[in-house]
Amino acid sequence: RNINEHQIERLKKALIAGCEQGKQFVIPKINENIIPFETMIEIIKSNNETLFYFDKTGKLINDIVQQTKSFKKNISFTCGPEAGFSKREIELLKDKVGISLSSYTLRSIDTVKFATIFFRAII
């Protein structure tokens, strides 16, 4: 998605705050370049990473925690806009692990904060 410089800075601050709260001292990489969603998935696949996505149609968080032993050490995660993923994006994510945090729509910025703390805690 096209995001402006202000949104990137906001995302970086949220990511750093999440890392600080979760005592994570390695800050995850934010892909600032605008790349097609398909390309992002291919890069993650070529790096042999597990991709998680946050969506209210995903598995409950408790179910994910039970599977932590099967996670690869290198992971990536993505969350869509508050409006949700497009049909094309959902099709590309069909074989990936979806996580539902709530039946409500959460702000993407809050999901990123949660995800950085969550993955640091379980991996």
Side-chain angles (χ1 to χ4, degrees):
R1 306 241 193 259
N2 292 331
I3 55 177
N4 63 38
E5 189 175 317
H6 174 71
Q7 291 169 315
I8 290 280
E9 287 306 312
R10 210 171 138 212
L11 180 59
K12 284 181 182 178
K13 287 178 184 176
L15 191 59
I16 290 169
C19 288
E20 288 172 348
Q21 291 172 15
K23 306 228 184 306
Q24 161 69 316
F25 301 107
V26 178
I27 299 173
K29 178 184 168 205
I30 297 175
N31 202 349
E32 293 184 40
N33 297 326
I34 298 173
I35 60 172
F37 197 73
E38 299 91 345
T39 304
M40 178 195 73
I41 291 176
E42 287 302 315
I43 291 170
I44 291 167
K45 186 177 181 180
S46 69
N47 290 337
N48 198 28
E49 298 175 11
T50 301
L51 174 62
F52 297 90
Y53 68 96
F54 290 87
D55 187 68
K56 58 184 172 181
T57 62
K59 294 180 182 178
L60 295 175
I61 196 77
N62 292 342
D63 297 336
I64 300 299
V65 172
Q66 300 301 320
Q67 300 172 1
T68 56
K69 292 192 186 324
S70 65
F71 293 168
K72 295 176 185 172
K73 188 69 175 166
N74 294 325
I75 62 160
S76 290
F77 67 86
T78 186
C79 63
E82 284 83 3
F85 289 105
S86 69
K87 289 179 183 178
R88 180 181 59 81
E89 291 167 339
I90 291 170
E91 182 64 28
L92 291 168
L93 292 169
K94 70 181 175 189
D95 61 336
K96 308 302 181 210
V97 181
I99 301 174
S100 175
L101 299 178
S102 169
S103 59
Y104 299 104
T105 301
L106 301 175
R107 293 179 9 188
S108 296
I109 201 84
D110 294 331
T111 303
V112 169
K113 284 181 188 177
F114 171 82
T116 57
I117 295 169
F118 172 71
F119 286 120
R120 176 65 178 139
I122 65 171
I123 303 245

